[in-house]
């Protein structure tokens, strides 16, 4: 299992890559492993505004439909259109090509509530990620 | 208190192989090993091994066994010769499907195979009707579900692999026929049946030998690309064939005529439970039909999603998935009979939005069973 140090993490298994007031969001290696073969991704529309904890995308494996929750509040300023034709990127490159959307952050303080790579790893090891 | 989940004799084998295990109708069953798409492909292109030990098995014997089976089932068990298998159903008096089953004609009676989650319900259904009937003295009914393990091998290479383990000539065993022979030196019932649309076999043995046979199959099948297959791929394989799944596509609130499995109902065979209701429904015409459809717009149909035409709900989805063989999103659902013809444009409501779909001919994928 892979935990890039430069990312921040949520208990719902999303990752956040912060760049100034912008943040790219995706799901973790653990999440894609639990989901199994991903066959469909619904990304949000550009301009959509989401509050922290709100579902902003949907990932479907062969068997299940899963919501992806906004780890931070903000406006979607870019979406990853490649996921429409290549949903399997979620499985093959969860921290890279499978970014889902970039948010313009509306509350930078929310970033303090996210976990570091080490904290997320510990969170999973303690079994709270079930 | 939560009732504990049941395990098949292969549970430890699955866990050791790294399978992901889920609760399936009260059983802890493997949903996937390496991945649903890879397992699905293996069955279509090579072969796959399935643990079906959770299925229920009954035996009906005695001088009035045939009369009793005829009263309880929709298909004509009287047409079977020893060594033949038949798809059939138990129906209620209202024509609703109590279960869909396989009927094996043995020399001295009938071997019935029922869905795992319906085993207790079905056996009680049979016992109650037998006790109320005039046949109670002439029929012996036994629930042998704990006495049989069931392993299926399916796929274009299944016959070659099984042939290495058994002396019986498999080329002489026709589709929906069975024989009693040894497999890996274990006494077995070998049936040329399955739920995938591929050639294949279902093999009944004693539970104590299940793990040994499983390992022997994996060893013998390795050069052919044999993979263990979980419930996930089992579901996508059967969906591509429009094989109905009890509890999803059929149940007590649907009839065989609505579900498109009226070919397994023989209304002229004599009386059986549900016949009057089904005769009436046939005469009046069914109001809804189970259809197969493909999505023409983005989205995966899932069970219970509404099916609409011009914004009006005309039915609902009962099964849906991405089809691994076609790479398209497919589904089954009940629609008002007027919308059932192939080519009809419908919409599936997915997360509040209608996505276009079209009723298509089924099976979705060409069957390769050896008729």
């Amino acid at each position: 299992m892979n935990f890039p140090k430069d990312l921040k993490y949520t208990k719902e298994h999303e990752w956040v890559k912060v760049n100034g007031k912008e943040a790219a969001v995706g799901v973790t290696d653990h999440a894609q492993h639990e989901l199994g073969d991903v066959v469909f991704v619904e990304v949000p529309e550009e301009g959509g505004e989401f509050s922290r904890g709100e579902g902003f995308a949907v990932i479907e494996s062969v068997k299940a439909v899963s919501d992806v929750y906004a780890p931070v509040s903000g406006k979607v300023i870019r979406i990853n259109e490649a996921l429409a034709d290549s949903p399997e990127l979620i499985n093959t490159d969860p921290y890279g090509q499978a970014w889902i959307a970039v948010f313009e952050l509306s509350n930078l303080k929310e970033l303090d509530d996210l976990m570091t790579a080490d904290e997320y790893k510990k969170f999973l090891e303690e079994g709270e990620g079930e | 208190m939560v009732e504990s989940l049941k395990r098949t004799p292969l549970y430890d084998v699955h866990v050791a192989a790294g399978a992901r295990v889920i609760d399936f109708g009260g059983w802890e069953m493997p949903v996937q090993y390496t991945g649903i798409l890879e397992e699905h492909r293996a069955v279509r292109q090579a072969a796959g091994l399935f643990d079906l030990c959770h299925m229920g098995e009954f035996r009906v014997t005695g001088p009035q066994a045939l009369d009793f089976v005829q009263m309880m089932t929709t298909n004509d068990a009287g047409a079977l010769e020893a060594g033949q298998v038949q798809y059939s159903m138990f129906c209620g008096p209202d024509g609703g499907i109590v279960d869909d089953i396989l009927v094996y004609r043995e020399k001295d009676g009938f071997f019935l195979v029922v869905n795992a989650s319906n085993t207790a319900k079905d056996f009680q259904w049979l016992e109650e009707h037998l006790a109320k009937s005039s046949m109670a003295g002439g029929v012996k009914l036994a629930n042998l579900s704990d006495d049989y393990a069931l392993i299926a091998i399916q796929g274009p290479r299944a016959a070659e692999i099984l042939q290495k383990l058994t002396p019986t000539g498999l080329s002489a065993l026709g589709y929906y026929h069975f024989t009693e022979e040894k497999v890996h030196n274990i006494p077995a019932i070998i049936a040329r049946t399955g739920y995938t649309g591929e050639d294949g076999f279902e093999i009944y043995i004693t539970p104590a030998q299940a793990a040994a046979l499983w390992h022997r199959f994996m060893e013998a099948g390795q050069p052919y690309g044999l993979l263990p297959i979980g419930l996930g791929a089992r579901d996508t394989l059967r969906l591509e064939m429009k094989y109905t799944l009890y509890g999803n596509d059929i149940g007590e609130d649907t009839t065989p005529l609505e579900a498109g499995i009226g070919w397994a109902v023989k209304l002229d065979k004599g009386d059986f439970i549900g016949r009057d209701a089904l005769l009436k429904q046939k005469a009046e015409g069914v109001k809804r039909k189970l259809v197969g459809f493909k999505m023409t717009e983005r989205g995966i149909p899932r069970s219970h999603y509404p099916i609409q035409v011009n914004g009006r709900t005309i039915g609902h989805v009962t099964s849906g998935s991405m089809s691994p063989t076609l790479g398209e999103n497919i589904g089954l659902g009940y629609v008002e009979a007027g919308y059932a013809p192939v080519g009809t444009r419908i919409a599936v409501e997915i997360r509040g939005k209608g996505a276009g779909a079209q009723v298509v001919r089924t099976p979705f994928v060409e069957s390769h069973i050896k008729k």
Side-chain angles (χ1 to χ4, degrees):
Chain A
M1 204 70 56
N2 186 9
F3 305 95
K5 291 278 188 199
D6 57 334
L7 306 180
K8 290 184 175 294
Y9 299 84
T10 72
K11 290 183 178 178
E12 282 75 38
H13 312 291
E14 290 96 12
W15 58 258
V16 178
K17 186 173 189 176
V18 183
N19 180 10
K21 286 191 75 175
E22 294 180 5
V25 176
V27 298
T28 67
D29 194 18
H30 172 82
Q32 71 78 17
H33 183 77
E34 289 297 305
L35 288 164
D37 295 322
V38 172
V39 294
F40 185 85
V41 181
E42 186 175 287
V43 297
E45 285 178 13
E46 279 180 2
E49 297 200 36
F50 296 89
S51 304
R52 176 165 67 172
E54 204 179 337
F56 78 98
V58 175
I59 295 180
E60 299 197 34
S61 64
V62 180
K63 286 217 61 94
V65 181
S66 306
D67 285 315
V68 185
Y69 302 102
V72 285
S73 305
K75 185 163 87 177
V76 173
I77 54 171
R78 279 193 296 283
I79 54 170
N80 186 355
E81 286 169 5
L83 293 174
D85 288 331
S86 304
E88 70 280 1
L89 290 172
I90 298 275
N91 295 119
T92 56
D93 193 11
Y95 296 119
Q97 292 181 76
W99 62 276
I100 296 170
V102 175
F103 284 76
E104 185 179 79
L105 301 173
S106 58
N107 182 357
L108 290 168
K109 278 196 178 136
E110 287 176 353
L111 296 172
D112 300 339
D113 300 331
L114 300 172
M115 288 183 274
T116 64
D118 286 342
E119 285 165 348
Y120 179 62
K121 189 165 177 242
K122 193 158 163 255
F123 168 73
L124 289 180
E125 283 164 1
E126 285 166 0
E128 292 170 64
E130 291 303 315
Chain B
M1 212 178 103
V2 180
E3 201 181 331
S4 66
L5 295 174
K6 294 191 275 279
R7 292 177 174 178
T8 79
L10 294 168
Y11 176 83
D12 292 338
V13 176
H14 303 319
V15 172
R20 186 170 303 171
V21 173
I22 59 159
D23 172 4
F24 179 76
W27 291 80
E28 279 188 284
M29 298 298 290
V31 63
Q32 67 166 65
Y33 298 81
T34 46
I36 294 173
L37 298 180
E38 184 183 354
E39 292 166 33
H40 184 107
R41 245 187 324 268
V43 175
R44 289 273 181 257
Q45 295 171 4
L49 199 62
F50 300 74
D51 174 8
L52 305 178
C53 296
H54 59 315
M55 301 291 275
E57 293 90 6
F58 307 150
R59 192 166 265 134
V60 185
T61 51
Q64 285 182 282
L66 173 60
D67 295 336
F68 180 63
V69 171
Q70 288 288 54
M71 178 178 88
M72 300 306 299
T73 65
T74 59
N75 210 334
D76 184 7
L80 293 172
E81 289 171 25
Q84 278 190 298
V85 189
Q86 180 182 71
Y87 178 75
S88 192
M89 279 162 276
F90 301 135
C91 278
D94 61 354
I97 302 169
V98 174
D99 202 0
D100 66 330
I101 66 170
L102 290 178
V103 177
Y104 287 61
R105 181 60 162 128
E106 299 179 314
K107 213 160 54 214
D108 302 322
F110 295 87
F111 185 66
L112 310 182
V113 182
V114 305
N115 282 299
S117 55
N118 288 338
T119 304
K121 175 187 87 167
D122 289 350
F123 196 70
Q124 193 184 354
W125 177 255
L126 294 178
E127 274 187 318
E128 282 174 6
H129 282 88
L130 181 59
K132 278 191 294 191
S133 77
S134 60
M135 295 175 252
V139 175
K140 187 165 173 259
L141 182 61
N143 184 351
L144 304 173
S145 302
D146 293 338
D147 299 339
Y148 283 99
L150 174 54
I151 292 173
I153 183 164
Q154 302 274 306
R157 312 304 293 274
E160 288 167 83
I161 298 166
L162 177 57
Q163 192 62 82
K164 293 169 85 172
L165 274 58
T166 183
T168 196
L170 294 174
S171 55
L173 186 64
Y175 185 58
Y176 267 66
H177 283 72
F178 70 97
T179 183
E180 289 184 52
E181 232 336 320
K182 285 185 173 167
V183 178
H184 186 42
N185 237 2
I186 302 162
I189 300 172
I190 307 171
R192 198 162 204 150
T193 51
Y195 193 51
T196 62
E198 299 298 330
D199 185 28
F201 303 86
E202 295 180 306
I203 300 151
Y204 301 83
I205 49 161
T206 175
Q209 303 277 15
L213 181 59
W214 182 275
H215 289 305
R216 181 69 190 98
F217 263 126
M218 288 309 298
E219 186 184 48
Q222 203 264 333
Y224 298 87
L226 178 73
L227 288 185
I229 312 297
L231 293 173
R234 183 168 164 80
D235 193 46
T236 51
L237 288 159
R238 69 91 195 167
L239 177 60
E240 289 183 341
M241 304 313 300
K242 202 197 177 203
Y243 291 157
T244 51
L245 173 62
Y246 196 88
N248 279 46
D249 314 301
I250 56 173
E252 292 183 4
D253 55 353
T254 58
T255 75
L257 305 180
E258 294 167 340
I261 42 182
W263 56 269
V265 178
K266 299 297 184 322
L267 292 167
D268 54 0
K269 73 164 182 171
D271 198 24
F272 62 89
I273 299 172
R275 179 171 178 265
D276 292 346
L278 293 170
L279 269 173
K280 183 162 175 280
Q281 190 177 47
K282 192 175 183 191
E284 291 172 355
V286 294
K287 292 191 174 60
R288 56 176 184 167
K289 285 184 179 173
L290 186 69
V291 297
F293 60 87
K294 276 186 190 176
M295 299 303 297
T296 52
E297 292 183 315
R298 271 174 58 76
I300 300 178
R302 302 284 185 182
S303 184
H304 303 299
Y305 286 4
I307 297 176
Q308 300 170 329
V309 169
N310 297 327
R312 185 173 73 86
T313 297
I314 55 115
H316 66 278
V317 177
T318 56
S319 292
S321 178
M322 195 274 279
S323 157
T325 303
L326 302 174
E328 296 176 273
N329 297 327
I330 63 172
L332 302 181
Y334 284 96
V335 297
E336 293 175 7
Y339 299 101
V342 168
T344 304
R345 301 235 168 233
I346 56 176
V348 177
E349 189 189 320
I350 301 176
R351 292 182 282 280
K353 279 179 281 187
Q358 187 169 30
V359 177
V360 297
R361 216 176 297 281
T362 52
F364 297 98
V365 171
E366 192 191 348
S367 166
H368 297 109
I369 52 179
K370 298 262 193 289
K371 288 268 189 191

